[in-house]
Amino acid sequence: MLTRIAGGRVIDPTTDRDEIGDVWIRDGRIAAPPPAGTRPDETYAASGKIVMAGAIDIHAHIAGANVNTARLLLPEWHRAAVPRPADTPLSISGWPTFATGCRYAAMGFTLVVEPAVAPHYALHAHLELGDVPIIDKATLAILGNDDFLLRLLRDKESPDAVRDYVAWTLETARAIGIKVVNAGGAMAFKANVRAFSLDDTVPDYGVSSRAIVKALQRAVHELRVPHPLHVHCNNLGLAGNAETALATIAAAGDLPLHLAHLQFYAYGSEGERGFSSAAAAVAAAVNRANNVTVDVGQVMFGPTVTISSDVLRQFNARAQARPNKWLVFDGDANGWGIVPYEYRADNFYNAVQWAAGLELFLLIDDPSRVFFTTDHPNGAPFTTYPEIFALLMSRDLRAEWIAKLPPAATELTTLPSIRREYSLAEIATMTRAAPARLFGLKDRGHLGLGAVGDVAVYDDQADRAKMFRAAALVFKDGQLVVRDGNVVQLRSGRALTVRPGYDRAIDRRLKDYYAERYGLAHDFIKVPEVAIGGPEPFEPVPCAN
Ligand SMILES: [Zn+2]
């Protein structure tokens, strides 16, 4: 099967292409142009259109026990709810698993990473991800508040033991990387601790948050897992927490580290209300630290729901729940907290948050080290991405938005003074080339020979939000799946994993540990191969939201 996407503006930073030309796909992979005169089986005209690789979202909460708990807590936000408030962002954002895949595909996304899978719930997460059509997926397994790891650190066991445990977790949970959430903070919460910073220690274990982060960072690095340790820092959302972000960046040393949703850690304590943007200082620190990558967690205005394994933070935020209901589940290793929330343009704090996120995008110089996320749905649903692309690409559009916000808020940010506008090539770097590299996926995120045939084609419109909202054509593994923003073919995606290998002694040790501590077989959490792919074929039902 030979497909030609003909005459579009091909923007592919990895192969240094920004030119009018063709993209060829043979049997699901990007191919070289065939000899002159060869007739393709299919030709799609792309003149006047932008052609990029399929986009990759590195951090969106789309499946698993925490996401489902949020669904159960907020049935009135579902599409089927009657009566339902006027379309809420979540009700149109692919809140059900099925629509999630369709909505992402319609925007040209072909791979999404679910970043917060507690190992004990990994099977559930994978089964649910299997029900998300079209896109490929991957998961990050959470460690860092679990008794087994903290015991290893408390007892000063060798880095080898930590490494084997990390590798065992990756393989058991079928993950592509490891995330740590408020390292030690969630465990400290069980001892009624309500504030926890990088050098605080977990009661009963005497292990600091810093020590947990460093141990996991080293283990992930030594296992040669491509994705660096993915860190949700301490003190999320608090005034003055830029200090925590700066301290964590400094703690990274020379090894790679990824900081998640950095916007939520970019706050100073200036101004009358003691809350300001410190994004400029945080961005400057990121610019200096070549080993550090970040994603933003941009806030956009509207109702949403915050979903986090940072139970300490979610418990502290419960008074802000809107509607006024919340839930914290404090599981043995990793629980989660659900707090619905509404970001408002006329709210001083929310306006500072919105500006701080854009400052990070615009002040971090290298688009291959700052990644595009809203921490869906924590900052905003993923369906707001097209509006954010447009904001990054136009200072005039930003000025229009800024004019509608409380001046007292925007004065405490540098956003009004920033003139930078992202180019399409920089958008492609941030959403395609760089995320593929960040996860070690050599055959994704680009249109070079042999790459997976994941291609997004957009009408080149002045209204960039409109352009990115509904791709003209999307190919997944070389198959046309979207035309004019509508799904035309449903396919199963697959989950991408890493298996670094480990000394089997840890397996025997964990067998005893699970038997003693839980009365369970340790392999009860093992995700079998059959759970990695989705059901095939999908029922041919309409993919409308
Ligand atoms: Zn997150």
Side-chain angles (χ1 to χ4, degrees), residues 247-501:
T248 309
I249 291 169
D254 297 329
L255 297 184
L257 197 71
H258 180 86
L259 301 184
H261 39 70
L262 192 60
Q263 178 277 129
F264 288 106
Y265 304 95
Y267 309 142
S269 49
E270 307 288 312
E272 277 178 21
R273 301 177 202 230
F275 187 80
S276 57
S277 167
V282 173
V286 173
N287 283 334
R288 287 191 298 271
N290 284 326
N291 52 321
V292 171
T293 52
V294 308
D295 64 86
V296 169
Q298 177 66 34
V299 155
M300 293 290 270
F301 304 114
T304 191
V305 55
T306 67
I307 295 172
S308 179
S309 302
D310 190 343
V311 286
L312 187 160
R313 140 79 197 178
Q314 293 297 72
F315 182 77
N316 287 342
R318 67 196 185 282
Q320 294 162 24
R322 182 193 296 260
N324 186 16
K325 51 183 174 178
W326 55 274
L327 183 150
V328 169
F329 170 80
D330 189 13
D332 182 75
N334 292 286
W336 52 83
I338 313 296
V339 182
Y341 188 71
E342 182 174 0
Y343 295 99
R344 296 172 156 193
D346 60 359
N347 177 291
F348 167 87
Y349 300 94
N350 298 160
V352 169
Q353 292 181 296
W354 175 84
L358 291 176
E359 286 178 277
L360 290 175
F361 276 121
L362 294 162
L363 295 174
I364 294 174
D365 298 328
D366 180 354
S368 70
R369 290 205 289 126
V370 56
F371 292 88
F372 192 88
T373 65
T374 59
D375 190 16
H376 164 85
N378 289 306
F382 68 80
T383 43
T384 59
Y385 291 1
E387 279 73 35
I388 304 172
F389 290 135
L391 286 165
L392 296 178
M393 297 185 76
S394 168
R395 58 176 170 264
D396 290 342
L397 183 61
R398 294 198 294 270
E400 281 174 34
W401 281 55
I402 289 169
K404 294 175 190 156
L405 300 178
T410 51
E411 281 163 12
L412 288 165
T413 82
T414 67
L415 187 63
S417 68
I418 301 176
R419 299 183 59 75
R420 181 177 173 192
E421 295 181 328
Y422 268 65
S423 66
L424 283 168
E426 286 178 316
I427 295 284
T429 296
M430 180 170 59
T431 56
R432 275 83 173 167
R437 274 205 300 276
L438 186 68
F439 284 88
L441 303 168
K442 292 189 174 65
D443 61 356
R444 286 166 193 262
H446 68 89
L447 298 171
L449 296 189
V452 170
D454 293 358
V455 183
V457 180
Y458 303 99
D459 292 316
D460 189 359
Q461 306 177 62
D463 183 342
R464 296 305 192 191
K466 196 170 168 200
M467 164 178 149
F468 282 113
R469 195 174 297 126
L473 302 167
V474 179
F475 299 85
K476 181 79 195 76
D477 297 309
Q479 299 283 314
L480 184 72
V481 290
V482 169
R483 187 190 279 279
D484 298 328
N486 296 309
V487 171
V488 294
Q489 188 194 159
L490 290 170
R491 300 164 52 78
S492 290
R494 56 182 175 270
L496 310 178
T497 63
V498 291
R499 299 185 78 160

Side-chain angles (χ1 to χ4, degrees), residues 180 183 198 209-218 229 231 257:
V180 61
L198 194 60
S209 190
R210 181 188 297 271
I212 297 168
V213 171
K214 297 287 283 181
L216 287 173
Q217 179 195 24
R218 178 177 172 180
L229 179 66
V231 180
L257 197 71

Side-chain angles (χ1 to χ4, degrees), residues 127-299:
L127 290 173
E128 198 172 301
L129 287 170
D131 197 37
V132 175
I134 305 173
I135 59 173
D136 292 327
K137 313 95 186 179
T139 64
L140 301 180
I142 298 179
L143 289 177
N145 286 292
D146 49 304
D147 172 71
F148 191 83
L149 177 72
L150 294 180
R151 283 182 193 219
L152 293 180
L153 299 179
R154 179 195 64 194
D155 299 342
K156 304 215 175 341
E157 293 214 29
S158 74
D160 294 7
V162 176
R163 210 166 51 223
D164 286 337
Y165 177 52
V166 167
W168 181 87
T169 302
L170 284 165
E171 184 168 317
T172 303
R174 302 273 186 167
I176 200 169
I178 295 289
K179 181 191 193 191
V180 61
V181 178
N182 191 354
M187 184 61 103
F189 177 69
K190 297 181 209 308
N192 290 319
V193 169
R194 294 290 177 267
F196 196 76
S197 286
L198 194 60
D199 287 308
D200 289 334
T201 55
V202 184
D204 302 329
Y205 296 90
V207 177
S208 72
S209 190
R210 181 188 297 271
I212 297 168
V213 171
K214 297 287 283 181
L216 287 173
Q217 179 195 24
R218 178 177 172 180
V220 169
H221 180 70
E222 289 179 353
L223 286 167
R224 298 174 184 266
V225 175
H227 186 48
L229 179 66
H230 195 102
V231 180
H232 164 131
C233 299
N234 320 105
N235 295 323
L236 184 142
L238 302 183
N241 68 1
E243 295 302 323
T244 302
L246 296 173
T248 309
I249 291 169
D254 297 329
L255 297 184
L257 197 71
H258 180 86
L259 301 184
H261 39 70
L262 192 60
Q263 178 277 129
F264 288 106
Y265 304 95
Y267 309 142
S269 49
E270 307 288 312
E272 277 178 21
R273 301 177 202 230
F275 187 80
S276 57
S277 167
V282 173
V286 173
N287 283 334
R288 287 191 298 271
N290 284 326
N291 52 321
V292 171
T293 52
V294 308
D295 64 86
V296 169
Q298 177 66 34
V299 155

